[in-house]
Amino acid sequence: VPCDGKVVDGESFVMMGHLTGESQLQNRTIGDEVLGGVRAVDGSLVVAVTRLSTESTVARIIKMVTDAQRNRPKVQSSFTDRFGRTYSRLILGITASIGLLLPILSQLLSRYGSAAW
């Protein structure tokens, strides 16, 4: 379904999980509201558009997420960004070190055996 609207003909179960988080299919028949972005699973629907694409549920979700990202507190922005960069580099460095050193240590242990320890 491309836009928010009302079903004027047809009947179908629709998948709304990506919008509402519900995993169950919901039945939609004549007169029911449907949200833009839902997927008709087992039938077909004729939908009369009730909202412009800029006012649809998906557009409102995108706007809220964008506003929330734009209006992050300065403390959260600077601290978490710095921490995230440092933490990511540290973990990648440790992982690369283990990946490079483990084969060398394995070769040394197999060559000299456990008697050296």
Side-chain angles (χ1 to χ4, degrees):
V1 178
C3 293
D4 291 358
K6 187 175 277 197
V7 178
V8 293
D9 189 29
E11 180 177 353
S12 178
F13 281 96
V14 295
M15 173 62 76
M16 298 177 58
H18 63 288
L19 294 174
T20 63
E22 299 176 27
S23 60
Q24 296 232 343
L25 299 175
Q26 296 182 358
N27 190 31
R28 293 293 187 245
T29 60
I30 296 173
D32 290 341
E33 292 280 330
V34 289
L35 303 175
V38 302
R39 185 170 57 100
V41 177
D42 69 341
S44 61
L45 300 171
V46 176
V47 178
V49 176
T50 57
R51 291 190 194 118
L52 299 173
S53 62
T54 56
E55 300 169 354
S56 71
T57 303
V58 174
R60 289 188 315 220
I61 290 171
I62 292 170
K63 183 181 180 322
M64 286 189 289
V65 169
T66 304
D67 289 346
Q69 289 176 337
R70 189 178 304 129
N71 296 325
R72 291 191 315 177
K74 295 293 182 195
V75 172
Q76 179 185 3
S77 295
S78 62
F79 175 74
T80 55
D81 289 344
R82 273 196 328 264
F83 178 78
R85 273 194 304 272
T86 304
Y87 182 77
S88 298
R89 289 178 182 156
L90 177 68
I91 296 301
L92 286 172
I94 290 171
T95 304
S97 298
I98 291 172
L100 293 172
L101 294 177
L102 199 57
I104 294 169
L105 289 174
S106 174
Q107 285 293 322
L108 289 174
L109 287 175
S110 66
R111 189 175 297 163
Y112 298 111
S114 60
W117 296 97

